[in-house]
Amino acid sequence: MKRRVVIGAAGLATAGLAAGGAVALGRREEPVPVSGTAGDAVPFYGVRQAGIVTPAQDRLHFVAFDVITKRREDLLAMLESWTAAAARMTAGLDAGTFGAVGGAPEAPPDDTGEAIGLPPSGLTLTIGFGPSLFGRFGLAGKKPEALADLPRFPGDAIDPQISGGDLCIQACAHDPQVAVHAVRNLARIGMGVVSVRWSQLGFGRTSSTSTSQATPRNLFGFKDGTANLKAEETALLDEHLWVREGDGPDWMTGGSYLVTRKIRMMIETWDRTSLTEQEAIVGRTKGEGAPLGRTAEHDEPDLTSDAIAKDAHVRLAHPTQNNNARLLRRGYNFVDGSDGLGRLNAGLFFIAYQRDPRRGFIPVQTSLARHDSMNEYIRHVSSAVFACPPGLAAADDFWGRSLLT
Amino acid sequence: MKRRVVIGAAGLATAGLAAGGAVALGRREEPVPVSGTAGDAVPFYGVRQAGIVTPAQDRLHFVAFDVITKRREDLLAMLESWTAAAARMTAGLDAGTFGAVGGAPEAPPDDTGEAIGLPPSGLTLTIGFGPSLFGRFGLAGKKPEALADLPRFPGDAIDPQISGGDLCIQACAHDPQVAVHAVRNLARIGMGVVSVRWSQLGFGRTSSTSTSQATPRNLFGFKDGTANLKAEETALLDEHLWVREGDGPDWMTGGSYLVTRKIRMMIETWDRTSLTEQEAIVGRTKGEGAPLGRTAEHDEPDLTSDAIAKDAHVRLAHPTQNNNARLLRRGYNFVDGSDGLGRLNAGLFFIAYQRDPRRGFIPVQTSLARHDSMNEYIRHVSSAVFACPPGLAAADDFWGRSLLT
């Protein structure tokens, strides 16, 4: 029994090409962002991990794991198995052999089956390592200084049960079933070695990561991410996104630091706020998304103008107000049902990549947490930071090898 | 400021055509199921409510409301406003006037904005009335006997906080942001009259409702809904799906009864079960979905054969074992993050429509709850039943009018 009978052969060819292509590129060239159609595969192997500058897919399943084994060799073996499964799944294949041919019918299947027949759907799987991992497995000396736990910001209402984690996987795809399938199979492979700490589904990407994408809207109804770093801005990415040689330990050179924040939005309160007030808080018009006092979305905000209030979000988050800090955001909207008090449990699952959180997210959020007039309508309920190493150049490498061996 | 500037005019034309089309059809003809592309609109007006035999869209946002007003006229006025907003949103328009032109900038916008620029995306909005509504507003005499609270089934682990409800809205669309936008705007319009009791997001429809659709897979990895009632089987729909004259009160003639069950799946336990055991429990092969002992998905199960165990799901759910009970299912997979115990909080949000639950869901579930070998891997955690009246023939009618006036 073959998974995805029709596309199987093509998928395998894609995986092979991707690995070969990355090797041929060498580690000094940038991969070209893949757009294509929603069903296509995104190469798994490459200089960078996919899922960072990859044009943001429409759906997210993010998961953080606790490592529950005490044995480094078990963790290493799991990471090698994860890598093989991730290479297969991102190419549109099963996580492993499915069913009787090559597998034993009396054993659990090596793939859970719910993605049979579905195309690769732009699946990317991006791994990160959390600060808490480095207290074990003899890793203390390899912990980057940039990978410090985030400070407590004013107004934070962080729930530790849905925060942190030793490992994370960010699964993005155009089909939620494909993203969920990938996370679930990695969790299955990791049984006894890792345990799911928390996970989050998202939809409706709230940032563009490529100039080829239109700016989407968050659940406040506003365009979000107009001024985001874009895949095409390679000089800016080198300065603000990718970790450089000498920034910290070698295993992170070429990688990036990931900050996640689950931001609950007080939807019902916002919806009772006037349009004028909403626009004053954001500092942009709601329809076009233009900075107040200007006319088009991509016009530069005039921060000398009184049109943009002192505590407007667009002003406080602007790079010129934050020592030129820039982030690559790729967050998602979420709705987790309702909260038992007649309100939707909804908001933004914020995801940002950067070269160093100490010069990226932390100063920006410090300013926002103190002054942003939007704070009345939001609450940060979860927080995490992870070190995401560079990509794997070829199929003989695996996730975490450079860190753990 | 106009919502969906480009498609606004086309959307209005569609809405007009839909209303006109329904009138021309008269109330005795079946509407033709709409497939088209994922961006298209599904007509709101018609003999039947859309979202029942409409080919199942990919995404769900289901919401149940408590009615918190004591005044019948407030409830009526809200339902009239809901209907107008639903007709607009299903046509790809705003819920109401957005922004300054025609609205006051000092008032909250009549649309929350997050669907600006998105196409209709096959949005359907289906309303239902729960048993608890009929104890108020002088409705006792209009309560159908078929609309009884569901009994407690063996093994039920129902959480009342995510069960029941006075009203429900089933929002289905190909884009979750469009479904969420619709529910959120109806909740906004209903402030002070209704309060969200519970809501549920779903993805990856787990049943086909049209012969034009391939059978999808649930999170057990199996094809689900092979033997479902289909939109094209009009004689069977008349017998099993649509309420007939004389079945109960007139206001439900042409409608259907909706049962929802949130079924948590013990994903991690299932994933440790052998393929042979999984197939024995379901009574079908996992790859093709064929009944055991047969070769193709749509082969009729041979219930005289020992190949299908006495406690296999396919046998116990089969119409011949349940006095010929047939349901139209249009459930969705769900993943609500994880449960704090290292497990995914995932499963099936079961939705079924029928002419009478007493001859549909209740006997089938009674048999399944007692004997189904799948019960070891599932838990029913929420339950609800609603009466869904027929469709609105024209724009001068509104939801609930035939019930409440």
Side-chain angles (χ1 to χ4, degrees):
Chain A
M1 170 63 61
K2 251 201 190 170
R3 156 91 184 280
R4 302 184 197 174
V5 178
V6 179
I7 59 153
L12 272 170
T14 308
L17 278 173
V23 172
L25 266 176
R27 292 185 68 87
R28 290 171 55 201
E29 285 184 67
E30 294 291 328
V32 178
V34 175
S35 47
T37 70
D40 286 352
V42 175
F44 177 71
Y45 293 98
V47 176
R48 313 296 188 189
Q49 284 200 72
I52 302 175
V53 297
T54 306
Q57 302 95 321
D58 287 337
R59 310 289 179 256
L60 168 78
H61 191 183
F62 193 98
V63 60
F65 293 96
D66 291 325
V67 175
I68 57 175
T69 185
K70 290 191 160 53
R71 293 158 51 93
R72 175 203 281 243
E73 57 268 35
D74 289 351
L75 179 58
L76 264 175
M78 183 204 75
L79 288 167
E80 191 163 7
S81 299
W82 269 13
T83 308
R88 292 180 59 87
M89 292 191 290
T90 53
L93 304 175
D94 304 312
T97 307
F98 171 78
V101 178
E106 295 309 326
D110 286 333
D111 183 273
T112 55
E114 71 271 22
I116 293 174
L118 300 179
S121 308
L123 175 67
T124 55
L125 295 167
T126 311
I127 193 166
F129 300 93
S132 52
L133 184 68
F134 291 81
R136 289 169 284 166
F137 306 111
L139 291 176
K142 285 195 165 179
K143 185 177 179 185
E145 287 184 24
L147 187 69
D149 283 313
L150 296 179
R152 188 187 179 286
F153 299 99
D156 269 3
I158 304 297
D159 178 354
Q161 298 213 311
I162 52 170
S163 296
D166 295 328
L167 298 176
C168 78
I169 296 287
Q170 173 200 277
C172 296
H174 295 294
D175 184 333
Q177 185 124 337
V178 169
V180 163
H181 168 263
V183 166
R184 182 230 193 128
N185 277 274
L186 296 180
R188 181 184 56 74
I189 291 168
M191 274 182 203
V193 181
V194 294
S195 173
V196 173
R197 181 176 173 85
W198 54 273
S199 85
Q200 180 66 51
L201 260 69
F203 64 90
R205 62 185 173 79
T206 57
S207 298
S208 303
T209 56
S210 165
T211 53
S212 66
Q213 297 184 300
T215 312
R217 289 178 185 272
N218 62 30
L219 292 182
F220 281 152
F222 279 76
K223 291 184 184 177
D224 199 340
T226 298
N228 201 24
L229 280 179
K230 302 286 198 303
E232 294 80 3
E233 300 171 322
T234 51
L236 288 174
L237 299 185
D238 280 340
E239 188 179 343
H240 297 288
L241 178 66
W242 303 121
V243 177
R244 294 195 200 176
E245 201 172 334
D247 280 353
D250 284 347
W251 68 273
M252 269 299 289
T253 300
S256 193
Y257 293 94
L258 162 60
V259 169
T260 69
R261 305 280 287 187
K262 183 171 182 174
I263 306 174
R264 169 87 186 267
M265 289 174 166
M266 306 294 109
I267 294 283
E268 292 77 11
T269 314
W270 182 259
D271 286 350
R272 283 190 291 254
T273 306
S274 76
L275 180 61
T276 307
E277 176 72 8
Q278 291 183 8
E279 293 184 336
I281 290 166
V282 175
R284 291 182 178 274
T285 62
K286 193 164 190 177
E288 165 65 23
L292 294 184
R294 308 297 298 271
T295 53
E297 179 196 345
H298 289 282
D299 288 348
E300 183 59 27
D302 178 5
L303 300 182
T304 67
S305 157
D306 290 341
I308 299 178
K310 292 296 176 210
D311 55 1
H313 186 79
V314 71
R315 178 189 294 276
L316 294 167
H318 197 272
T320 59
Q321 310 298 302
N322 294 284
N323 201 21
N324 195 30
R326 299 288 301 272
L327 305 168
L328 184 129
R329 283 176 288 145
R330 48 169 24 248
Y332 287 84
N333 299 323
F334 73 84
V335 177
D336 294 348
S338 45
D339 68 359
L341 299 171
R343 302 178 303 201
L344 291 175
N345 187 351
L348 173 67
F349 188 75
F350 173 94
I351 294 176
Y353 288 91
Q354 60 232 278
R355 185 174 159 200
D356 189 334
R358 296 170 298 178
R359 287 178 288 120
F361 177 77
I362 293 173
V364 175
Q365 180 57 19
T366 300
S367 167
L368 289 173
R370 283 188 187 141
H371 305 297
D372 191 356
S373 57
M374 195 180 281
N375 291 333
E376 189 180 339
Y377 303 93
I378 61 176
R379 193 159 300 140
H380 287 237
V381 296
S382 96
S383 178
V385 59
F386 299 97
C388 302
L392 301 175
D396 61 356
D397 200 358
F398 63 88
W399 279 341
R401 189 183 58 80
S402 60
L403 171 61
L404 283 153
T405 62
Chain B
M1 171 63 61
K2 255 203 191 167
R3 157 91 185 279
R4 302 185 196 174
V5 177
V6 179
I7 59 153
L12 272 170
T14 308
L17 278 173
V23 171
L25 267 175
R27 292 186 65 89
R28 290 173 52 202
E29 286 186 64
E30 295 290 330
V32 178
V34 175
S35 46
T37 70
D40 286 352
V42 175
F44 177 71
Y45 294 98
V47 177
R48 312 295 189 189
Q49 285 201 69
I52 302 176
V53 296
T54 306
Q57 303 95 322
D58 287 337
R59 310 288 178 259
L60 167 78
H61 191 183
F62 193 97
V63 59
F65 294 96
D66 291 326
V67 175
I68 58 175
T69 186
K70 291 189 159 51
R71 294 158 51 93
R72 175 202 282 242
E73 57 268 35
D74 290 350
L75 179 57
L76 265 174
M78 183 204 74
L79 288 167
E80 190 163 9
S81 298
W82 269 14
T83 308
R88 291 180 59 87
M89 293 191 290
T90 52
L93 303 174
D94 303 312
T97 307
F98 172 78
V101 178
E106 295 309 327
D110 286 333
D111 183 274
T112 54
E114 70 271 21
I116 293 174
L118 301 179
S121 308
L123 176 67
T124 56
L125 295 167
T126 312
I127 194 167
F129 300 94
S132 52
L133 184 69
F134 292 79
R136 289 169 285 166
F137 306 112
L139 291 175
K142 287 197 166 177
K143 185 177 178 183
E145 287 183 23
L147 186 69
D149 283 314
L150 296 178
R152 190 189 177 286
F153 299 99
D156 269 4
I158 303 299
D159 177 354
Q161 298 213 312
I162 53 170
S163 296
D166 295 328
L167 298 175
C168 77
I169 296 287
Q170 172 199 278
C172 296
H174 295 294
D175 184 333
Q177 186 124 337
V178 169
V180 163
H181 169 263
V183 166
R184 183 235 191 121
N185 277 274
L186 295 180
R188 181 184 54 75
I189 291 168
M191 273 182 202
V193 181
V194 294
S195 173
V196 173
R197 180 176 173 84
W198 55 274
S199 85
Q200 181 66 50
L201 260 70
F203 63 90
R205 62 185 173 80
T206 57
S207 297
S208 303
T209 56
S210 165
T211 54
S212 66
Q213 297 184 301
T215 312
R217 288 177 185 272
N218 63 28
L219 292 182
F220 282 152
F222 279 76
K223 292 184 184 177
D224 200 339
T226 297
N228 201 24
L229 280 179
K230 303 286 198 304
E232 293 79 2
E233 301 170 322
T234 51
L236 287 173
L237 299 184
D238 279 340
E239 187 180 344
H240 297 287
L241 178 67
W242 303 121
V243 176
R244 294 194 198 176
E245 201 172 335
D247 280 353
D250 283 348
W251 68 272
M252 268 300 288
T253 300
S256 193
Y257 293 94
L258 163 60
V259 169
T260 69
R261 305 280 287 188
K262 183 172 181 173
I263 306 174
R264 170 87 186 267
M265 290 174 166
M266 307 292 108
I267 294 283
E268 293 76 10
T269 315
W270 182 259
D271 286 351
R272 282 190 290 254
T273 305
S274 75
L275 180 61
T276 306
E277 176 73 8
Q278 290 183 9
E279 293 183 336
I281 290 166
V282 175
R284 291 183 179 273
T285 63
K286 193 164 189 176
E288 164 65 22
L292 295 183
R294 308 296 300 271
T295 54
E297 180 195 345
H298 290 281
D299 288 348
E300 183 60 25
D302 178 5
L303 300 182
T304 66
S305 156
D306 290 341
I308 299 178
K310 292 296 176 212
D311 56 0
H313 186 79
V314 72
R315 178 189 296 277
L316 293 167
H318 198 272
T320 59
Q321 310 298 302
N322 293 286
N323 201 20
N324 196 30
R326 301 286 303 269
L327 306 167
L328 183 128
R329 283 176 288 145
R330 46 168 27 248
Y332 287 84
N333 299 322
F334 73 85
V335 177
D336 293 349
S338 45
D339 68 359
L341 298 172
R343 302 178 303 202
L344 291 175
N345 187 350
L348 173 66
F349 187 74
F350 173 94
I351 294 176
Y353 288 90
Q354 61 232 276
R355 185 175 159 199
D356 189 333
R358 296 170 298 178
R359 288 178 287 121
F361 178 77
I362 294 173
V364 175
Q365 180 58 20
T366 300
S367 167
L368 289 172
R370 283 186 187 142
H371 305 297
D372 190 355
S373 56
M374 196 181 282
N375 291 334
E376 188 181 338
Y377 302 93
I378 61 176
R379 193 159 301 140
H380 287 237
V381 296
S382 97
S383 178
V385 59
F386 300 97
C388 302
L392 301 176
D396 61 355
D397 199 359
F398 63 89
W399 280 340
R401 189 185 55 80
S402 60
L403 170 62
L404 283 152
T405 62

